[in-house]
Amino acid sequence: MNAQRSLHVFVLVAALIGVSGCAASPPSDPAADAAPTTASGEVAPTEPTDMSFASGASLHPDTTITMGDALGSDPDWKEVPSEAPGRWSYERVDDTCAAAFRKGPLGDAGTMTDREASDAVIAATTGWDPASLEPLLNDGAFPRYEDPDAVVDHRQFTYSVNDAGYLIAVRAFASADYSVIVTVECDSGNLEEVARDVLSKTAISIE
């Protein structure tokens, strides 16, 4: 990572510490608008709209992005009270895992792409050296709230020691100055299964 990009990582750290917003889920009924129809009156088929890292560059700065989850209605999870804006979390009822969510302004990402900014947020959040972290990162995807068949690309990092495991999944939207972060921690050796469940119940809304 060059010196300019390293500087932006530190700017991102400061922005993440002061993250703002609310923990509300995305709008409850994005499908309320009438579906497009053909000349014969039939509902026109629509193509899933994936939000790749590259397509994020075309987002307008005023794009509204938010994140919601379905763990609050899942009997396997219990909500942990939080007064921090833009942050909320849950614990498994068997106390083996915890999941935390954070959303808010990204900070000055400079000329970083969404992929690069996502990697920088992971480095800033975990405290790992960006150069050491880079080869350990993988691509993943969140469901897109507006279309369950579409996805929002993210970057993720996972590590485990004995039965303890940790996953962080991040998507930064440099053009819209926003980021979403999900972390999952388990001490029962079942991180992969639990993390897959948490990510499948997390949705990103982009309007």
Side-chain angles (χ1 to χ4, degrees), residues 10-77:
F10 289 109
V11 175
L12 287 170
V13 173
L16 289 167
I17 291 174
V19 97
S20 63
C22 62
S25 298
S28 60
D29 187 16
D33 295 332
T37 58
T38 64
S40 62
E42 298 178 350
V43 175
T46 57
E47 293 296 325
T49 306
D50 293 340
M51 180 55 62
S52 66
F53 291 111
S55 59
S58 64
L59 290 178
H60 190 277
D62 293 333
T63 300
T64 298
I65 301 169
T66 190
M67 172 172 62
D69 67 273
L71 297 187
S73 58
D74 189 321
D76 290 332
W77 294 87

Side-chain angles (χ1 to χ4, degrees), residues 4-197:
Q4 181 183 21
R5 188 166 299 164
S6 297
L7 174 62
H8 289 310
V9 170
F10 289 109
V11 175
L12 287 170
V13 173
L16 289 167
I17 291 174
V19 97
S20 63
C22 62
S25 298
S28 60
D29 187 16
D33 295 332
T37 58
T38 64
S40 62
E42 298 178 350
V43 175
T46 57
E47 293 296 325
T49 306
D50 293 340
M51 180 55 62
S52 66
F53 291 111
S55 59
S58 64
L59 290 178
H60 190 277
D62 293 333
T63 300
T64 298
I65 301 169
T66 190
M67 172 172 62
D69 67 273
L71 297 187
S73 58
D74 189 321
D76 290 332
W77 294 87
K78 55 186 177 183
E79 188 169 1
V80 178
S82 173
E83 296 182 359
R87 304 186 186 199
W88 66 103
S89 60
Y90 303 88
E91 293 179 351
R92 293 270 296 183
V93 294
D94 59 6
D95 294 324
T96 59
C97 299
F101 300 80
R102 184 171 13 163
K103 61 183 181 180
L106 172 63
D108 181 13
T111 59
M112 288 185 183
T113 65
D114 282 11
R115 177 188 288 271
E116 291 168 341
S118 298
D119 290 356
V121 171
I122 292 178
T125 304
T126 61
W128 279 56
D129 174 68
S132 300
L133 188 63
E134 186 172 3
L136 304 176
L137 299 176
N138 295 297
D139 289 342
F142 294 116
R144 183 163 178 175
Y145 190 72
E146 292 81 4
D147 188 337
D149 292 323
V151 298
V152 177
D153 287 350
H154 71 240
R155 293 284 275 169
Q156 62 177 241
F157 168 59
T158 306
Y159 72 83
S160 59
V161 178
N162 297 324
D163 286 338
Y166 172 87
L167 173 138
I168 179 170
V170 172
R171 174 58 189 263
F173 302 89
S175 295
D177 184 27
Y178 207 79
S179 65
V180 295
I181 306 170
V182 178
T183 60
V184 181
E185 298 180 70
C186 293
D187 59 12
S188 55
N190 60 340
L191 174 69
E192 182 177 354
E193 176 186 354
V194 174
R196 187 185 308 115
D197 180 56

